Amino acid sequence: MAEEKKVYSRTKGIIDGAVSGFCPGCMHSTIHKLIGEAAEDLGKLDKLVRVEGVGCCGLGQFYVTCDETIAAHGRACAVATGIKRSSPDSLIYTYQGDGDLAAIGLAETMSAANRGENFTVIFVNNGIYGMTGGQMAPTTLLGMKATTAPQGRKAEEHGYPMHMCEILNQLTAPYYLERVSCDTPQNVIKTRNAIKKAFQYQLEGKGFSMVEIVTSCPTNWGLSTLDSLDFLRDKMFTEYPLGVYRDKGAEK
Amino acid sequence: MADRVFMKGTEAIAEAATRAGCRFFAGYPITPQNEIPEYFARRMPEVGGTFVQGESEVASVNMLYGAASTGIRAMSSSSSCGISLYSEGVSYCASARIPMVYVNVQRGGPGIGAIQPAQQDYLQATKASGNGGFRMIVFAPSTVQECVDMTYEAFDLAFRDENPVLVLTDGVMGTMMEPVVLPPMKSDEELKELRDAYKHRAIIGHPLGQQAYCRPGSVGTGQEEVNKEAVKLYATWDKDIRVEEYMMEDAEIVFAAYGISARISRAVIKELRAQGVKAGMIRPITISPFPYETFKNLDFNRVKGILDVEMSIPAQMRWDLDYAIQGACPIKECLRSGGQLLTNDQVMKAAQELIKEVL
């Protein structure tokens, strides 16, 4: 009889037995798992520091096992700058939604990226404010309804969706920028690899990296979980094409 | 032997902080405190520390929040309208009980105000430096030497209490030069020891099961407990009240002044004494906690009137004076603001008017 071998177990990056609290069909819990696995792969769970933004990501604070601090809304990249500069051996990631990173925290995001700060940004883009109940985000698609844009986003009134990978790609300093998703097993693996690569670059002292993860928000999109996936692929991926935008490590 | 040097207020503050072990500074340019970040930009690389020019005051204070959460001695400075932008980060530090030090080199306000010196931020500094009703120890130095000594001590108090400490000074003291004795440089070994003592709660990464977290708030009902703990801390601060009583033994006319206004008042009191007037001064050195008892315990059979001297219009310390003496004697205000400095003549004139009214 063949010997049994354990090939998979829950990451130690998540508290044993903890339930995430995220809505069904939301990809936050998958991303949390992938972050834990990536840090574990690199043997750095004991150096891992999470700088949490404000929004649905706040639900992660009772879910992860690593050191964590909660930044004021939008300030995660500034807080991470302070931590990394004072504790260079720590493996630091910010975990931010689109409102946090691209609206209230735009200056902090751009400036940290421009300084080439040596930490990793995990940017979860679902095109809407989740925690506060479905308000319009900088990444809300044209025509998409939000509680603060009840007729849908209009270009002439609200401007256009912001593309953070493309915007940060205008700067010289960032080392690695990739946009991924978690809608299929293949994409989950790509996201895991992207996070791991970003962490690896940080450990090598390469500087700023961002992994943007385009996700669904069934609750605030007002769609079933399956319809959300269709919307994600049909609409979100069209506006936000997946792929590597910058990888200085691969250029060499 | 102690170093006696001739230094500008802002640079003396930066050097004192460096000697106290400050190894992280983030700040944003604003007059009249630019020499502080500029000094740190030169000095930090010499001692293995970090200087970051933030993209804004908001970013700078949040960098401070992050740096201080790792257990390093960290500081920032700004001025008046810049300090308003610090409210967010200071409130977060107070809520999460993160030890840090910041300096307000006051200018005229409200709004962008004037870039010249004033004492226009008293109520903000002592009562509401951010949302949530937290409190801090606030030092109000009145000489460059006191700027040095209080900045140096502020780090110890911040770590003792795990709470922010504010040094409230102004554009006069920031830009003037005086001889100062600099405190000893803390050694790398001392600093390592201090940082190690904080390690258990430092946000730096820990082995599984020893998670450290910095939470500037609570989900559910936990915040009330956090607030009760903070109140327990504030209740220990009676021992930290500092106040100078100058020529108060027989004083009938009492000047109430802090910081730069106290220096001007001192000169006027000397003149009055030469004229035979029994004048004295109570100078709060900590304006939070405020020396209420010193005012409350005055012998009001002897003390006939108080002259509140402030470079602020409207008067702000007046609220604390009223609370302390509860109408036991008249209070007259002598005020300038918006970068207009008090002169000896103006303070003398106000004192003489008070004397005419009450003596």
Side-chain angles (χ1 to χ4, degrees), chain B residues 189-200:
Chain B
E189 293 72 39
E190 269 178 282
L191 294 179
K192 187 180 177 304
E193 222 171 274
L194 287 166
R195 200 165 176 185
D196 283 349
Y198 190 83
K199 217 169 192 170
H200 63 287

Side-chain angles (χ1 to χ4, degrees), chain A residues 135-192:
Chain A
Q135 294 82 10
M136 185 179 62
T139 47
T140 297
L141 305 182
L142 287 179
M144 192 169 162
K145 283 184 181 170
T147 57
T148 47
Q151 306 304 315
R153 183 176 193 156
K154 294 175 188 156
E156 58 276 17
E157 189 180 346
H158 308 116
Y160 296 84
M162 287 174 74
H163 307 87
M164 292 310 296
C165 272
E166 291 85 335
I167 290 172
L168 294 188
N169 199 24
Q170 299 300 308
L171 303 172
T172 306
Y175 196 81
Y176 173 53
L177 305 165
E178 180 166 357
R179 184 181 287 131
V180 290
S181 186
C182 286
D183 62 315
T184 61
Q186 292 93 324
N187 276 340
V188 168
I189 291 167
K190 278 188 186 170
T191 301
R192 190 184 192 280

Side-chain angles (χ1 to χ4, degrees), chain A residues 10-18 29 32-34 36 63-65:
Chain A
R10 199 184 199 197
T11 171
K12 290 188 171 62
I14 291 176
I15 294 169
D16 213 15
S29 45
H32 280 65
K33 178 188 80 165
L34 301 178
Y63 193 51
V64 297
T65 55

Side-chain angles (χ1 to χ4, degrees), chain B residues 123 182 214 242 264 270 358:
Chain B
L123 287 172
L182 291 171
C214 165
R242 266 177 247 177
I264 299 160
K270 279 182 194 161
V358 298

Side-chain angles (χ1 to χ4, degrees), chain B residues 103-325:
Chain B
V103 179
N104 179 358
V105 185
Q106 293 173 91
R107 54 194 252 177
I112 198 167
I115 59 166
Q116 296 89 349
Q119 294 180 306
Q120 206 75 27
D121 302 336
Y122 180 92
L123 287 172
Q124 181 196 45
T126 58
K127 306 291 184 277
S129 296
N131 66 297
F134 65 89
R135 296 181 58 195
M136 302 180 296
I137 291 178
V138 183
F139 283 116
S142 85
T143 62
V144 175
Q145 184 67 58
E146 281 190 347
C147 286
V148 164
D149 296 341
M150 289 170 187
T151 302
Y152 195 77
E153 190 185 352
F155 288 93
D156 291 335
L157 295 184
F159 273 80
R160 182 196 71 185
D161 294 344
E162 300 193 339
N163 206 54
V165 175
L166 169 61
V167 178
L168 184 72
T169 180
D170 60 74
V172 177
M173 253 174 307
T175 49
M176 76 181 177
M177 294 182 83
E178 281 189 304
V180 288
V181 177
L182 291 171
M185 183 83 175
K186 284 199 195 299
S187 69
D188 289 346
E189 293 72 39
E190 269 178 282
L191 294 179
K192 187 180 177 304
E193 222 171 274
L194 287 166
R195 200 165 176 185
D196 283 349
Y198 190 83
K199 217 169 192 170
H200 63 287
R201 68 162 302 199
I203 308 301
I204 53 176
H206 280 90
L208 213 58
Q210 296 173 30
Q211 179 190 36
Y213 46 79
C214 165
R215 294 203 178 121
S218 297
V219 176
T221 55
Q223 189 62 41
E224 188 177 61
E225 287 310 313
V226 172
N227 293 346
K228 282 179 180 170
E229 282 304 309
V231 168
K232 279 185 203 162
L233 167 68
Y234 308 154
T236 66
W237 284 348
D238 281 352
K239 65 181 184 309
D240 296 308
I241 293 171
R242 266 177 247 177
V243 57
E244 181 194 0
E245 297 185 51
Y246 177 69
M247 295 195 175
M248 282 299 295
E249 303 76 23
D250 58 348
E252 296 174 346
I253 297 293
V254 175
F255 286 56
Y258 74 96
I260 186 64
S261 294
R263 290 176 76 120
I264 299 160
S265 298
R266 199 184 302 272
V268 174
I269 289 165
K270 279 182 194 161
E271 275 186 60
L272 285 170
R273 283 275 169 178
Q275 295 168 17
V277 178
K278 290 173 177 169
M281 173 168 65
I282 297 176
R283 173 172 76 96
I285 296 171
T286 54
I287 51 174
S288 167
F290 189 81
Y292 293 109
E293 295 296 314
T294 310
F295 285 98
K296 202 172 148 189
N297 295 335
L298 284 172
D299 176 0
F300 289 104
N301 292 317
R302 190 189 79 223
V303 172
K304 297 291 187 276
I306 291 177
L307 187 65
D308 173 20
V309 185
E310 298 184 58
M311 293 210 302
S312 169
I313 294 174
Q316 298 189 46
M317 189 170 71
R318 175 71 194 259
W319 289 79
D320 281 329
L321 298 177
D322 279 337
Y323 179 73
I325 71 161

Side-chain angles (χ1 to χ4, degrees), chain A residues 66-68 70 75 86 90, chain B residues 65 88 195 204-206 211:
Chain A
C66 66
D67 282 10
E68 59 166 353
I70 296 164
R75 315 296 174 230
S86 307
S90 303
Chain B
Y65 168 70
E88 176 184 273
R195 200 165 176 185
I204 53 176
H206 280 90
Q211 179 190 36

